[in-house]
Amino acid sequence: MSPGHPGHPEHPDQVGRVELLLDLGRAQEALGLAGRLLASSPDDPDLHVLLGRALDGLGRHDEALAAAGRALALRPDDADGLLLRAELLVGLDRGVEAEEAARALLRLDPEHPGAHVVLVGSLLLQQRTDEAWEAARRLRTLVPHDADAHHVAGLVAAFVPGEDAAECHRRALALDPQHAEARHELVRAEPGSLREHARTLAGVVGAHPQDTEYRRSIQDWADRTARRALLGAVLAWCVAGLGGVGGLAATVLLLWWWRRLLRDVPDPIRGEARRRLVRTPYLLLTWTVTVVTAVAAVVLTFAPEPRTLAWSLLGWLVVPWLLVPLWGATRWLRVPLWFTPRLVRALFS
């Protein structure tokens, strides 16, 4: 929609102002201005779409869907209205209706990139993964130089056996190195050092401080860090149990690794991880077991019979050692349950 749209020739500058406010993320101001414009032009479908996008930006999704409906009542083949309706329906987990709106838009414009994006989301909501992958491939063929197209393909590829989600996100970043969503998903899709992931998360959280999904990734990072520290403590305990004095050296090495990591991790990530520690039972358990294991390694270092003492302590430690990875696996397996909102935010933020 351009500022000079024939439906509102009397205030093109004001319409452009609403669009600018939406681009800047100032949804409340955009809502107020769009409402004032609608008061003088209540039959302008473009203004209803702008009102809907402002409401969506404020989290008022049902009201935004009603605004999209008013736009389509005034102009049934309005492309912006159909796209807004489809996006909102995906966000409301109404996949069948979202698909209908997306396909209606594609009948009007078979090469509409936004319609293909929403179609992908609607198909995933219905767990039609193979069809979603085909839709994502068509999108990449349609706009091969669009970073968003490769990013969307990566989101789907994560659920398609044999496809490389990380490669899709790398292609997106090759086209747009500042693509925050692709950078974030790459952290999930491929292994990397804790330091690199922390720096990536600091960048995306700094660019989108209110995005709960990015902050959820900080929780994942904190979980991985705690498990890595526990593994180091267990190794120190094993060395101490077998060789006595080597346990102290291994514990010192673990502490040195921890201090180096803290020094290299950006302050926002370090602070957020610390805040999550006190309110996450899994992290509390993992770090408690880590500290107890490290202390036991030091005790074994100075014990006269470290192997005998190690065997007697093993019965107390083996249960928490097994509990932590098992609990961590259950936390990881819950990922598909929150995939839908993650997809919506990644596609339409």
Side-chain angles (χ1 to χ4, degrees):
M1 177 175 52
S2 65
H5 193 285
H8 39 73
E10 65 277 13
H11 41 233
D13 293 340
Q14 292 290 76
V15 170
R17 173 70 176 168
V18 176
E19 295 172 335
L20 177 61
L21 290 171
L22 289 172
D23 289 340
L24 294 174
R26 294 158 61 178
Q28 188 63 56
E29 295 175 63
L31 178 64
L33 182 53
R36 290 193 294 273
L37 293 175
L38 271 169
S40 60
S41 303
D43 296 329
D44 188 335
D46 297 318
L47 293 177
H48 284 286
V49 170
L50 289 176
L51 182 74
R53 294 207 173 277
L55 289 166
D56 182 40
L58 294 170
R60 296 158 61 178
H61 308 303
D62 289 327
E63 295 175 71
L65 187 60
R70 289 192 292 272
L72 291 171
L74 292 166
R75 188 192 297 150
D77 60 350
D78 184 75
D80 292 328
L82 285 168
L83 181 60
L84 175 60
R85 175 175 168 78
E87 291 175 353
L88 291 167
L89 288 169
V90 169
L92 294 169
D93 294 352
R94 293 160 61 177
V96 175
E97 297 170 81
E99 181 185 358
E100 292 174 354
R103 293 195 185 280
L105 178 50
L106 287 171
R107 284 193 292 271
L108 295 173
D109 182 0
E111 297 187 353
H112 195 295
H116 284 281
V117 169
V118 184
L119 180 62
V120 171
S122 68
L123 292 170
L124 281 176
L125 281 177
Q126 300 173 67
Q127 299 183 3
R128 293 156 59 185
T129 309
D130 291 340
E131 294 176 67
W133 177 240
E134 287 302 316
R137 291 178 61 185
R138 287 195 296 272
L139 174 63
R140 286 202 294 181
T141 301
L142 181 65
V143 282
H145 302 298
D146 189 314
D148 287 337
H150 294 283
H151 167 57
V152 169
L155 291 172
V156 184
F159 293 85
V160 179
E163 299 297 339
D164 190 347
E167 177 60 26
C168 295
H169 297 305
R170 282 193 289 268
R171 289 185 185 180
L173 288 170
L175 293 166
D176 179 7
Q178 304 305 315
H179 199 293
E181 292 86 354
R183 289 166 59 199
H184 174 249
E185 292 302 323
L186 195 56
V187 169
R188 294 181 179 277
E190 67 177 4
S193 75
L194 292 172
R195 292 175 176 81
E196 292 174 357
H197 284 181
R199 295 187 188 109
T200 298
L201 289 173
V204 297
V205 171
H208 303 273
Q210 303 305 317
D211 193 295
T212 57
E213 198 52 50
Y214 294 161
R215 294 195 173 277
R216 191 193 300 270
S217 291
I218 298 177
Q219 179 73 64
D220 296 339
W221 181 88
D223 289 355
R224 288 178 54 222
T225 302
R227 288 194 295 269
R228 194 79 58 87
L230 175 57
L231 178 60
V234 172
L235 291 175
W237 186 90
C238 292
V239 171
L242 293 174
V245 68
L248 178 60
T251 304
V252 170
L253 185 62
L254 173 63
L255 291 174
W256 175 79
W257 167 82
W258 177 245
R259 286 181 61 84
R260 285 282 305 270
L261 179 63
L262 286 182
R263 186 188 65 188
D264 295 340
V265 170
D267 289 340
I269 304 301
R270 188 165 60 243
E272 181 71 15
R274 284 173 176 167
R275 285 190 291 272
R276 289 180 178 274
L277 171 62
V278 299
R279 58 177 187 264
T280 307
Y282 175 75
L283 283 178
L284 284 172
L285 172 67
T286 305
W287 280 111
T288 299
V289 176
T290 298
V291 171
V292 170
T293 303
V295 170
V298 174
V299 171
L300 288 175
T301 300
F302 299 101
E305 294 291 338
R307 294 190 181 186
T308 302
L309 181 58
W311 276 109
S312 63
L313 291 176
L314 187 61
W316 295 93
L317 291 174
V318 70
V319 173
W321 286 352
L322 294 175
L323 178 59
V324 167
L326 287 175
W327 192 355
T330 61
R331 287 164 66 83
W332 180 81
L333 288 172
R334 284 202 299 270
V335 167
L337 300 180
W338 47 262
F339 170 72
T340 294
R342 175 165 70 92
L343 172 67
V344 173
R345 280 188 288 272
L347 294 182
F348 307 122
S349 61

